[in-house]
Amino acid sequence: AATNNLLHSRDLSNAAWSTKTNITAAKTATGLDGIANTATTLTATAADAIILQPITLASAARCASAYVKRRTGAGTISFTQDGGSTWTDITSQINSSTWSRVEITATLANPSVGFKISTSGDAIDVDCVQNEAGAVATSPIVTTTATVTRNADSLTYQTASNIDFAVGTLYCEAQFASSSLVTRQAALIGAD
C-alpha cells in the first residue's frame, strides 16, 4: 500500500504547485499513457527556474519520484523534496526520447517537492510526480484535488502445470523495476 501526498501529480500548472519562479507550466505534454495533454511541460524563462509543492506532514522516511523527459536544451535539471535546501542533479538520468523515472529519498518533515531548470529556455516534460512514505517509489498513483492511497497488490498464480506438489517444485518468472524493490516484496506459496 502507498499514498501519494502530492496534489495534481500530472498537472503542475495547478495552484497546488504554489512556488513558480521564472518558470511556465502548461499541461500540454503527451503523458506516460500516450494521451496528449495529460502531462506538464515546464519551461525556464530565466536561469535557475523553480517549481515547488509544499506538503505538511510529520517527519518520516520519504521518497519523491517523477517521470521526466527533456523537451529542449542541455542544461542541468535538478529535483528536490526539501524545498531546494538540497538539489539532486538528474540531468544524466533523463533524455529526450523516453520517460525516465527519477527518485530521491530522505527523512524529513514537511516535504516540498519540485524541479529546478538551470538554463533559460530549457524545457522538460513531467508526469506522475509522487511523494510517499518509505525508501522506494511505488508504481504511479495519479492525484488531482486530494491525496490517493492505493491498497497493496495481492496476486494469485495458476497452480496447474506450474507447481508440482508431489515433488515440491514450482516455476515462476518475476521482473522487478529496480533491484532495491526486492527488499519490499513478499511471496506466499501454498495450496488452498
Side-chain angles (χ1 to χ4, degrees), residues 28-113:
T28 55
T30 298
L32 283 171
D33 52 11
I35 299 173
N37 305 321
T38 56
T40 303
T41 299
L42 300 175
T43 305
T45 58
D48 294 329
I50 294 172
I51 185 168
L52 297 168
Q53 182 179 144
I55 314 166
T56 303
L57 290 169
S59 181
R62 308 213 134 278
C63 181
S65 64
Y67 286 87
V68 182
K69 184 183 345 179
R70 186 178 290 278
R71 183 172 279 252
T72 59
T76 301
I77 307 297
S78 301
F79 191 36
T80 188
Q81 72 170 337
D82 63 9
S85 293
T86 57
W87 289 101
T88 300
D89 183 345
I90 60 170
T91 309
S92 65
Q93 299 176 48
I94 64 174
N95 63 72
S96 60
S97 57
T98 59
W99 288 102
S100 300
R101 191 164 203 195
V102 298
E103 64 181 74
I104 51 177
T105 58
T107 298
L108 72 161
N110 303 321
S112 183
V113 178

Side-chain angles (χ1 to χ4, degrees), residues 1-4 141 147-151:
T3 300
N4 184 359
I141 304 171
T147 63
V148 173
T149 299
R150 179 191 54 235
N151 293 329

Side-chain angles (χ1 to χ4, degrees), residues 2-191:
T3 300
N4 184 359
N5 295 296
L6 288 171
L7 304 181
H8 297 279
S9 62
R10 304 187 84 186
D11 183 6
L12 282 69
S13 67
N14 187 276
W17 294 87
S18 57
T19 299
K20 294 181 179 94
T21 306
N22 300 322
I23 200 165
T24 61
K27 193 173 174 187
T28 55
T30 298
L32 283 171
D33 52 11
I35 299 173
N37 305 321
T38 56
T40 303
T41 299
L42 300 175
T43 305
T45 58
D48 294 329
I50 294 172
I51 185 168
L52 297 168
Q53 182 179 144
I55 314 166
T56 303
L57 290 169
S59 181
R62 308 213 134 278
C63 181
S65 64
Y67 286 87
V68 182
K69 184 183 345 179
R70 186 178 290 278
R71 183 172 279 252
T72 59
T76 301
I77 307 297
S78 301
F79 191 36
T80 188
Q81 72 170 337
D82 63 9
S85 293
T86 57
W87 289 101
T88 300
D89 183 345
I90 60 170
T91 309
S92 65
Q93 299 176 48
I94 64 174
N95 63 72
S96 60
S97 57
T98 59
W99 288 102
S100 300
R101 191 164 203 195
V102 298
E103 64 181 74
I104 51 177
T105 58
T107 298
L108 72 161
N110 303 321
S112 183
V113 178
F115 297 90
K116 178 169 70 171
I117 303 174
S118 295
T119 305
S120 182
D122 281 10
I124 57 173
D125 292 337
V126 178
D127 202 0
C128 296
V129 187
Q130 290 184 192
N131 185 272
E132 54 194 309
V136 180
T138 65
S139 57
I141 304 171
V142 175
T143 63
T144 54
T145 59
T147 63
V148 173
T149 299
R150 179 191 54 235
N151 293 329
D153 291 336
S154 177
L155 306 174
T156 58
Y157 191 66
Q158 174 182 324
T159 59
S161 300
N162 290 312
I163 299 176
D164 184 337
F165 291 104
V167 178
T169 61
L170 69 95
Y171 172 79
C172 176
E173 291 184 26
Q175 181 175 355
F176 300 99
S178 167
S179 61
S180 61
L181 290 177
V182 174
T183 60
R184 291 182 58 167
Q185 303 304 312
L188 171 63
I189 301 170

